[in-house]
Amino acid sequence: MIVRRAGPDDAEGLTELGEAVGAEPEGWLVTTNGWRNVSDERRYLRAIRRYPNAAVFVADDGGNIVGRLSVARDQHPASRHVADLGIMVAASHRRQGVGTALLHAAVEWARKADVNKLELHVFPHNTGAIKLYGKFGFVQEGYRRAHYRRGDEFTDAILMAYEL
Ligand SMILES: CC(C)(COP(=O)(O)OP(=O)(O)OC[C@H]1O[C@@H](n2cnc3c(N)ncnc32)[C@H](O)[C@@H]1OP(=O)(O)O)[C@@H](O)C(=O)NCCC(=O)NCCS
């Protein structure tokens, strides 16, 4: 398993991964109406290839995409040192260090991009992810009530951050 920057050719694998994780009944992700389609994903990956403000990393297990981490810098001039991230690992590959390896890639990217704070939102019921982030060094900065709308329901979210 290697972690590397994603390219347009990863669009199919990333779409499959997003659909599979998004369909898990626990509802880990914010999106409830399916993942973006392959051509939109490819377009996005092509657009950010040389873009200094965002990156997508993949965990590649012999050609299979088994993990994804997306990171994007805050666009406001006063918070350009902050970037937001999202992560997912294929159910078949969890608890093998893939999530941790992806977070290390995000930290490395942040250093080069002059970002010194990474932040993320996680649902309170996602105790596994909260453990991963805490173990890595993220701390809770806030609790946001009814912050996301998922279908007909509003869901709370925990805001966590990691300072480099
Ligand atoms: C959360 C997620 C990214 C973790 O990825 P992972 O590759 O399994 O994480 P790691 O193997 O690097 O885990 C590192 C440590 O985090 C903790 N951890 C991770 N998942 C855990 C779980 N389900 N339960 C308890 N602890 C967990 C453990 O301490 C683990 O170390 P250990 O396995 O030696 O005990 C993965 O479960 C996932 O993709 N879930 C669905 C999507 C999701 O929730 N994304 C995050 C949305 S905010």
Side-chain angles (χ1 to χ4, degrees):
M1 200 281 298
I2 57 156
V3 171
R4 59 171 174 78
R5 278 295 275 266
D9 290 349
D10 296 312
E12 215 158 309
L14 283 171
T15 304
E16 274 171 31
L17 176 66
E19 274 167 4
V21 176
E24 287 179 42
E26 293 87 347
W28 309 123
L29 309 182
V30 171
T31 43
T32 49
N33 53 350
W35 199 250
R36 63 172 81 96
N37 64 40
V38 177
S39 44
D40 286 349
E41 185 78 87
R42 188 177 295 115
R43 204 169 305 120
Y44 177 68
L45 293 168
R46 202 172 280 136
I48 63 160
R49 232 174 345 175
R50 284 182 202 82
Y51 184 58
N53 298 326
V56 175
F57 292 93
V58 290
D60 177 338
D61 184 17
N64 285 330
I65 303 302
V66 298
R68 171 198 188 117
L69 181 141
S70 306
V71 60
R73 180 200 295 278
D74 203 295
Q75 287 305 300
H76 194 284
S79 53
R80 280 181 52 77
H81 61 288
V82 180
D84 186 85
L85 68 81
I87 185 170
M88 65 178 80
V89 174
S92 56
H93 283 68
R94 291 182 191 154
R95 304 299 292 267
Q96 296 170 39
V98 176
T100 305
L102 286 164
L103 289 174
H104 280 297
V107 169
E108 208 176 299
W109 172 86
R111 276 206 181 95
K112 289 184 192 143
D114 224 12
V115 160
N116 48 37
K117 182 175 181 181
L118 293 170
E119 65 171 25
L120 57 85
H121 285 96
V122 57
F123 294 135
H125 71 268
N126 198 348
T127 51
I130 294 167
K131 282 210 177 100
L132 161 70
Y133 303 139
K135 195 170 177 184
F136 192 86
F138 281 76
V139 293
Q140 181 169 335
E141 287 201 332
Y143 190 91
R144 317 196 73 180
R145 296 193 193 283
H147 194 67
Y148 289 107
R149 186 176 192 141
R150 303 188 74 250
D152 292 334
E153 285 178 17
F154 288 96
T155 310
D156 297 349
I158 295 172
L159 172 65
M160 299 185 81
Y162 176 92
E163 291 194 50
L164 277 79

